[in-house]
Amino acid sequence: MPSLGAIAVVLTLLSAGYIDFAPAALVDGLEDVQRLLGRMLPPRVDDTGRIVSLAFDTLLMAVLGTVLAAIVSVPLAFLAARNTTPHPIVYSVARAIITFCRAMPDLLFAVLFVRALGIGVLPGILALALHSIGMLGKLFADAIEEADSGPREAVRATGVGYVREMINAVVPQVVPAWIAAFVYRIDINLRMSVVLGFVGAGGIGFALQDALRGLIYPRALGIVLVILAIIAAMELAAILLRRMLLVPSAAGPARDRAMKMGASAVLIVTTIASFVVLELDPRSLFTWIGPSIEVFGRMVPPDFSSLGADLVDATVQTIAIGIVATAIGIVLSIPVGILAARNVTPHPVVYWLARSWILLVRAVPELILAVVFVAALGLGPVAGTCALAIGSVGFLGKLVADAVEEIDSGPLEAVSSVGGGWWNKIVNAVVPQAVPSIVGSSLYLLDVNIRTSTILGIVGAGGIGFLLFESIRTLNFDVAGAIVLVIFVVVYAVERISGWIRSLLV
């Protein structure tokens, strides 16, 4: 454990040196952002009808993309689960598909689909769906692997086939976990869908991009506030939905079944309405394959020679941004997370302030933060690092708060019984219990931040994303293929290393 900590500190210092990031940069960045926000006030929302329409489109894109991903992920999960796959080769192929979809950022998919299909909501929906297959497929498969084998053996003894066995013995066990993952994924996809418009993939992000390009900052802030309201409302709705669908009702099983049927009906109606409101031809969910294969095929074979040292520099820069942002995020998130934990917060007002701050930061997608920091600080990796660092507070702060709320209360009571104050409780009872969970969450944050840093260059915030966007814009698809392959290798390698470190700590 100490050796891993020392390695992390050394990597952080080396990364900060590589991108010329000084600790004062974050403070200066916040001051510059404050001045920029002063130019944005008072916020205004011009053309309210169009903004509301785009916001509604964004919500429907998130829902439809998640529904499509779930439809594909269910059969894929059965093929990718060790205890239900029909053959080891099928298992390996299914897991490879899931890994590829998860490792490729959704905004990267969106850039490629916009080039293949043109500007509109379809590229955004497909990008959300493909990336979500990577997430939902993994979670669905993991739930299947954790299912009890007893019911399967009982059903198999009746002589039914494979499909009936899965439906009658496995599905009832995994449905609660699937529902939780699905609801959580809609929440995530809504955050992502608001920025797809930056690359022409539909939604309210397109209007925000227009306002920022035109330097109409009050309008940009007004749109950001609309986005915040939508995401905050969706998060509250997701919490209520999870509680309604997953927590048994005191009214009994009949009430639970009625609520689940009602939620299913609403989802079906919303999905159908998405095609109508978004003016989406259902056939387009199949016809996209041809044009996309044509564009994706032009990326093979990849050309690594054209960029040369620039590709290496951008790759290292991307990794450095993720490492430094994660380190800063950890330092800022731990105190906020502790204050946001109901069982150790010093005062209810402090608790609500900390929780509100976490919710506010989580509601702003990192790409929007990057746009703001680029406008305040200028182009480069420092802006991207500051954006990711601030965004990390919302992500990791919530995980830290949840981890602290789940610790054993015994040590807290023991410290109190000997007259220990609040600080003694934190140092001697809270931190020792929460450290394993915080370390695991921090490694996951590193994985997420490096994945996100690969696309920050699209808005000029450093990293490999700028090279990718330029290569696609200039139709150098073989160069884009090389960049996509590098992104996949980097993200996959970080994911594997993080998983290995977590296994050592468990």
Side-chain angles (χ1 to χ4, degrees):
M1 183 76 170
S3 59
L4 289 176
I7 292 173
V9 171
V10 171
L11 283 176
T12 300
L13 293 176
L14 291 175
S15 299
Y18 191 85
I19 59 176
D20 296 325
F21 184 91
L26 185 59
V27 177
D28 294 339
L30 292 176
E31 293 177 354
D32 291 330
V33 169
Q34 185 178 2
R35 287 193 290 270
L36 177 62
L37 290 176
R39 295 162 59 190
M40 290 181 168
L41 295 173
R44 72 173 192 262
V45 179
D46 301 328
D47 196 1
T48 306
R50 175 172 176 264
I51 298 301
V52 171
S53 175
L54 288 174
F56 194 52
D57 288 352
T58 299
L59 177 60
L60 293 179
M61 286 170 59
V63 172
L64 186 54
T66 310
V67 168
L68 294 175
I71 292 172
V72 176
S73 296
V74 169
L76 187 62
F78 281 102
L79 302 178
R82 292 185 185 275
N83 55 337
T84 59
T85 188
H87 194 276
I89 294 179
V90 175
Y91 167 83
S92 299
V93 172
R95 282 286 176 175
I97 293 172
I98 289 173
T99 300
F100 175 77
C101 291
R102 190 173 69 253
M104 298 297 288
D106 31 21
L107 197 65
L108 194 158
F109 276 131
V111 170
L112 296 174
F113 280 130
V114 165
R115 175 56 62 181
L117 306 172
I119 293 174
V121 296
L122 180 60
I125 293 169
L126 294 174
L128 292 174
L130 278 181
H131 185 65
S132 296
I133 288 171
M135 296 299 181
L136 291 181
K138 182 180 186 301
L139 294 175
F140 286 7
D142 290 348
I144 293 172
E145 289 183 343
E146 295 169 4
D148 184 7
S149 61
R152 288 188 62 190
E153 295 171 359
V155 172
R156 192 182 304 125
T158 64
V160 301
Y162 175 84
V163 175
R164 289 289 300 278
E165 180 185 331
M166 296 300 106
I167 293 175
N168 295 330
V170 178
V171 172
Q173 296 186 68
V174 300
V175 160
W178 286 4
I179 292 175
F182 179 81
V183 174
Y184 180 58
R185 193 64 212 175
I186 288 181
D187 189 16
I188 293 175
N189 279 347
L190 180 61
R191 282 178 171 81
M192 193 58 224
S193 62
V194 302
V195 298
L196 293 179
F198 278 78
V199 295
I204 198 171
F206 188 75
L208 178 60
Q209 173 91 327
D210 273 352
L212 291 171
R213 281 179 174 172
L215 304 181
I216 312 174
Y217 292 126
R219 181 188 298 171
L221 181 57
I223 295 172
V224 168
L225 292 178
V226 171
I227 292 171
L228 287 177
I230 295 170
I231 293 177
M234 185 62 195
E235 178 154 331
L236 293 175
I239 293 172
L240 293 175
L241 194 57
R242 282 194 291 267
R243 187 177 302 168
M244 181 179 71
L245 297 178
L246 302 176
V247 178
S249 171
R255 172 83 176 275
D256 292 338
R257 283 195 298 271
M259 294 172 70
K260 289 179 181 178
M261 290 179 63
S264 300
V266 171
L267 181 62
I268 292 172
V269 171
T270 303
T271 302
I272 295 172
S274 299
F275 287 95
V276 177
V277 175
L278 298 176
E279 299 180 353
L280 196 63
D281 186 345
R283 292 174 296 182
S284 63
L285 298 180
F286 304 95
T287 56
W288 64 272
I289 298 175
S292 299
I293 289 178
E294 192 273 332
V295 167
F296 283 42
R298 292 162 65 186
M299 300 169 68
V300 179
D303 178 11
F304 292 93
S305 60
S306 296
L307 294 176
D310 289 341
L311 180 58
V312 176
D313 175 65
T315 302
V316 177
Q317 191 178 96
T318 293
I319 298 172
I321 291 171
I323 291 174
V324 176
T326 301
I328 297 172
I330 292 170
V331 172
L332 297 178
S333 299
I334 291 177
V336 174
I338 291 173
L339 295 176
R342 194 184 297 272
N343 54 335
V344 299
T345 190
H347 194 277
V349 174
V350 175
Y351 168 81
W352 284 111
L353 287 174
R355 280 286 177 176
S356 299
W357 172 245
I358 289 174
L359 177 63
L360 176 64
V361 177
R362 285 185 69 226
V364 184
E366 289 85 350
L367 198 66
I368 292 180
L369 288 173
V371 170
V372 173
F373 275 102
V374 165
L377 300 178
L379 301 172
V382 173
T385 304
C386 291
L388 274 185
I390 297 300
S392 298
V393 176
F395 182 91
L396 186 59
K398 183 180 185 302
L399 296 179
V400 170
D402 293 344
V404 171
E405 288 184 345
E406 294 171 1
I407 64 173
D408 183 7
S409 60
L412 287 171
E413 296 169 358
V415 173
S416 297
S417 66
V418 297
W422 187 78
W423 278 108
N424 283 327
K425 289 181 182 179
I426 298 300
V427 173
N428 298 314
V430 174
V431 172
Q433 294 188 76
V435 159
S437 179
I438 292 174
V439 171
S441 298
S442 299
L443 289 170
Y444 182 53
L445 175 65
L446 174 63
D447 183 5
V448 171
N449 277 349
I450 289 183
R451 194 189 310 270
T452 305
S453 68
T454 61
I455 50 92
L456 291 180
I458 288 177
V459 294
I464 202 170
F466 176 76
L467 295 181
L468 175 66
F469 188 71
E470 283 299 301
S471 63
I472 293 176
R473 188 179 64 82
T474 56
L475 304 182
N476 292 313
F477 289 101
D478 51 351
V479 176
I483 297 171
V484 168
L485 188 58
V486 168
I487 290 174
F488 173 79
V489 171
V490 168
V491 172
Y492 181 72
V494 171
E495 181 178 311
R496 300 298 295 177
I497 293 171
S498 297
W500 173 68
I501 295 175
R502 281 195 293 268
S503 69
L504 295 178
L505 298 174
V506 174

